[in-house]
Amino acid sequence: MTQRTLLVLVGILGLLIGSFLNVVIWRLPRGESLSHPGSTCPNCQQPIRWFDNIPVLSWLLLRGRCRDCAEPIALRYPLVEAATGLLFILVALMVGFEAPRVWALPAFLYLAAISVALALIDIDTHRLPNRIVLPSYAVGLALLALPTAASGDWTQLLRALAGAAALFAFYLVLALAVPRGMGFGDVKLAGVLGLYLGWLGWGWLAIGAFAAFFLGGVFSIALLISRKARRESGIPFGPWMLAGAGVGVFFGEDLADSYLALVGLK
């Protein structure tokens, strides 16, 4: 099977996962079941037929409206599906399909999926649900153990645990020092992100942690300048933590090397 075919399959998987993430993003914060009942139109309550539930394509064919009541279907749904599919492809390109690196693909696809869900839930509710964050410690550790076992370099997994502890402790100190600026949901998420970034390396961890504050700071300043927010406005930080981790995952090695070269340490 060629790499192009594998990328197409990963992209299709991302579209399907993105469709499920739409359910998670809507139902989980409301305490609803993720499996029952099936998808229905929120306006007319009619069940959504399987052929109207094909990621992105169905929304386009229906012209963004319910087949039964013609109520507009939010653009967010196909955007989440398309974004997840694209993110899965980018992760696959970053990891590659050659052994032993390919064994890391499930771990980072999982991180990509929960990142989409957590970012949008945090934007909607200013919460990072324990039902996603806490199990991700065990799931992430188990999935990262696969490529570690394949490579035989168990120091990676030890570094991952150390990275999780370090980033968790850093955010905990911030939350205790500035309780109005940092929530404990951010602290718990920090441990998950530290697990992944630490597995990749200390440079990745440093870049991912710094990028979160840089991106969040730039966004906050832009809102203040445009007067769309005030100093006391609550701005969810989870999306910026996830975006910063993404910068670390995709560009951490290059950025860390560039910084070391700039200061004459490499």
Side-chain angles (χ1 to χ4, degrees):
M1 193 176 296
T2 66
Q3 178 171 317
R4 181 174 297 179
T5 302
L6 290 171
L7 287 174
V8 170
L9 293 175
V10 169
I12 293 173
L13 175 63
L15 291 173
L16 295 172
I17 295 295
S19 181
F20 175 68
L21 292 180
N22 278 319
V23 177
V24 173
I25 292 163
W26 176 259
R27 294 188 182 185
L28 192 143
R30 294 166 174 79
E32 300 174 3
S33 170
L34 300 182
S35 56
H36 299 286
S39 298
T40 58
C41 172
N43 183 59
C44 66
Q45 304 302 316
Q46 286 294 319
I48 297 177
R49 302 160 182 83
W50 69 267
F51 48 82
D52 287 338
N53 214 16
I54 301 172
V56 180
L57 181 61
S58 290
W59 190 90
L60 293 173
L61 292 175
L62 291 169
R63 298 182 181 180
R65 292 185 177 275
C66 172
R67 181 182 296 275
D68 296 294
C69 67
E71 181 75 7
I73 303 170
L75 181 60
R76 172 188 275 195
Y77 291 103
L79 288 180
V80 167
E81 294 162 351
T84 307
L86 177 60
L87 192 54
F88 270 39
I89 290 173
L90 293 176
V91 167
L93 287 171
M94 184 268 295
V95 173
F97 295 104
E98 296 182 1
R101 286 182 58 87
V102 69
W103 289 101
L105 187 57
F108 285 92
L109 290 180
Y110 175 79
L111 178 62
I114 65 169
S115 294
V116 172
L118 287 172
L120 290 174
I121 290 173
D122 200 15
I123 290 171
D124 288 344
T125 67
H126 289 206
R127 290 177 55 245
L128 293 164
N130 286 334
R131 286 178 63 186
I132 297 177
V133 176
L134 296 184
S136 295
Y137 280 91
V139 174
L141 186 61
L143 292 177
L144 289 172
L146 295 176
T148 303
S151 68
D153 183 9
W154 290 97
T155 58
Q156 278 189 297
L157 207 58
L158 293 175
R159 191 176 60 231
L161 292 171
L167 206 57
F168 182 94
F170 176 65
Y171 272 80
L172 179 60
V173 170
L174 289 178
L176 294 174
V178 191
R180 293 185 61 183
M182 189 73 62
F184 281 95
D186 298 326
V187 176
K188 287 175 279 190
L189 176 60
V192 175
L193 300 180
L195 184 74
Y196 278 87
L197 293 169
W199 186 84
L200 289 169
W202 294 116
W204 284 262
L205 179 64
I207 293 297
F210 171 78
F213 290 95
F214 177 79
L215 294 173
V218 170
F219 179 76
S220 299
I221 291 171
L223 288 181
L224 290 172
I225 291 175
S226 63
R227 297 184 179 180
K228 293 183 178 180
R230 296 178 295 179
R231 289 183 181 273
E232 63 272 16
S233 298
I235 299 173
F237 193 57
W240 301 113
M241 294 174 64
L242 294 161
V247 172
V249 168
F250 286 104
F251 308 109
E253 182 177 22
D254 292 337
L255 291 175
D257 287 346
S258 297
Y259 176 75
L260 292 175
L262 182 65
V263 298
L265 296 177
K266 187 173 182 178

